[in-house]
Amino acid sequence: QEISSLWIFGFLLIRSTAWTLGLENFPTKFVVANRNDPGPITLTCDAKPEGNVTWRFEGEEVEEGDTRGSTLILSEVDAPVLGEYSCWNGHRRLSSTYLLLEDEDEVKIDSLLSCRATSYDCNFHCRWNNVEKLVFSCQWITESCPIVPDCGFNFTIPHSLSPYEEESTMLELTAEAIRNLSVLRRTKRFYLRDIVKPDSPQIVGYQEQEQHLKVTIEPPSSWSRPHSFFVLEHEIEYVLKDNGKTGRSSSSLIPKRISKLRVRSRDPFVVSAWSHWTSWKKVV
């Protein structure tokens, strides 16, 4: 089974209200330690200058740890030693590395990350759900990164799958977030067809035909073209004038005496999720 990997690496930083270390962006360089791994952690300075290299932790000179040239070896890793380590040559700062801890939270990926494609075109949208006080960097994202209050962090991801071929490749999306100096890493695998949900269609108009109304519906502007190849099926919901009862029809012909109608669509070939309903349209 083929898998196409998409790494969203360093796309999100969740900042706790109790976190006062001032980490405002996803760090460029970091090392992740595992609490269950008793082995030492080695931090490496990017530069190898002439002379001695010293290490500082959150600005203070490191007293614990084994310094070997341009490397620092830490034998024990726990909360007090997590944070920013920087290497220095005299008064010159050479580089810095954040020491973080692997998050052991067992929250499942589907409750954290949800994805949706509005068509079979070259991108899809995802949302990191239920987060607090987002601080983030969008350098790996193709669009802006708006925050939706009490909802999540939205972003768009490109893909290279052909919309005209049968899909045989699963997408693999790996996301990383930082929370309280712990790295939360989750991987989600899915077929593009499984996340397709069209936008709401367009009700162009309606026309009387004897005892029926013929409703003209167009796919949403975001749907893949040509529409003769990427076919959508529509469902119409209507309210009868006489008794106020509602009915539904998969045909474009509906009863004539109705007060209002609305429409939704889906891809019938993969039996995709239905789109949201359009707004109710009054029928005069």
Side-chain angles (χ1 to χ4, degrees):
Q1 184 181 54
E2 292 185 41
I3 295 179
S4 177
S5 296
L6 299 170
W7 275 80
I8 306 307
F9 182 78
F11 82 91
L12 176 63
L13 177 66
I14 306 176
R15 186 182 180 191
S16 168
T17 55
W19 189 9
T20 59
L21 292 179
L23 185 58
E24 296 294 336
N25 294 292
F26 209 102
T28 303
K29 182 182 178 184
F30 61 92
V31 173
V32 181
N34 189 314
R35 185 179 279 110
N36 297 320
D37 186 352
I41 296 295
T42 300
L43 305 181
T44 304
C45 188
D46 289 343
K48 296 181 180 180
E50 295 182 0
N52 294 330
V53 173
T54 58
W55 286 86
R56 299 181 188 180
F57 172 63
E58 300 296 341
E60 300 294 331
E61 188 168 344
V62 174
E63 296 181 357
E64 298 182 4
D66 183 7
T67 303
R68 301 179 184 178
S70 60
T71 63
L72 174 66
I73 301 175
L74 301 172
S75 57
E76 295 184 4
V77 177
D78 211 336
V81 298
L82 299 177
E84 183 186 26
Y85 288 81
S86 55
C87 54
W88 296 73
N89 179 227
H91 297 288
R92 184 164 64 97
R93 179 182 172 124
L94 304 175
S95 67
S96 66
T97 304
Y98 275 88
L99 177 59
L100 307 173
L101 198 62
E102 183 175 342
D103 197 310
E104 298 177 353
D105 195 336
E106 296 183 355
V107 176
K108 293 184 178 180
I109 182 64
D110 288 339
S111 65
L112 290 174
L113 188 65
S114 57
C115 296
R116 174 198 170 196
T118 58
S119 71
Y120 293 98
D121 294 342
C122 59
N123 57 54
F124 58 91
H125 312 280
C126 292
R127 185 180 70 212
W128 187 278
N129 302 301
N130 301 323
V131 293
E132 302 175 350
K133 292 196 174 183
L134 295 181
V135 183
F136 53 86
S137 172
C138 296
Q139 59 184 332
W140 299 97
I141 309 303
T142 59
E143 291 186 358
S144 60
C145 304
I147 298 176
V148 180
D150 301 322
C151 183
F153 171 67
N154 298 287
F155 55 94
T156 300
I157 305 173
H159 67 82
S160 59
L161 300 177
S162 171
Y164 302 102
E165 298 177 359
E166 184 176 354
E167 188 179 9
S168 60
T169 301
M170 289 191 81
L171 295 172
E172 181 178 284
L173 174 63
T174 299
E176 289 184 336
I178 293 178
R179 176 177 60 184
N180 297 335
L181 294 180
S182 293
V183 175
L184 179 65
R185 181 186 290 115
R186 291 292 185 273
T187 297
K188 187 181 183 74
R189 298 176 181 88
F190 53 89
Y191 288 104
L192 183 65
R193 61 176 178 263
D194 293 334
I195 64 169
V196 168
K197 181 180 179 179
D199 286 331
S200 300
Q202 306 170 69
I203 302 175
V204 177
Y206 51 86
Q207 186 177 9
E208 293 185 27
Q209 289 189 357
E210 298 180 352
Q211 298 302 313
H212 295 87
L213 286 180
K214 181 176 177 59
V215 184
T216 303
I217 305 166
E218 290 288 341
S221 59
S222 59
W223 187 243
S224 303
R225 293 177 180 272
H227 294 159
S228 58
F229 183 84
F230 298 100
V231 177
L232 286 178
E233 69 171 329
H234 310 294
E235 184 175 53
I236 304 172
E237 186 173 52
Y238 53 85
V239 178
L240 296 171
K241 279 184 179 180
D242 297 336
N243 55 21
K245 291 185 177 180
T246 60
R248 290 187 181 179
S249 174
S250 57
S251 167
S252 61
L253 292 177
I254 60 175
K256 186 176 180 180
R257 292 185 56 79
I258 64 170
S259 60
K260 58 183 179 179
L261 62 88
R262 62 179 183 174
V263 183
R264 64 179 182 174
S265 302
R266 71 176 178 182
D267 183 338
F269 297 108
V270 301
V271 193
S272 73
W274 284 104
S275 72
H276 292 298
W277 289 102
T278 63
S279 300
W280 284 104
K281 182 178 180 66
K282 290 185 177 181
V283 177
V284 179

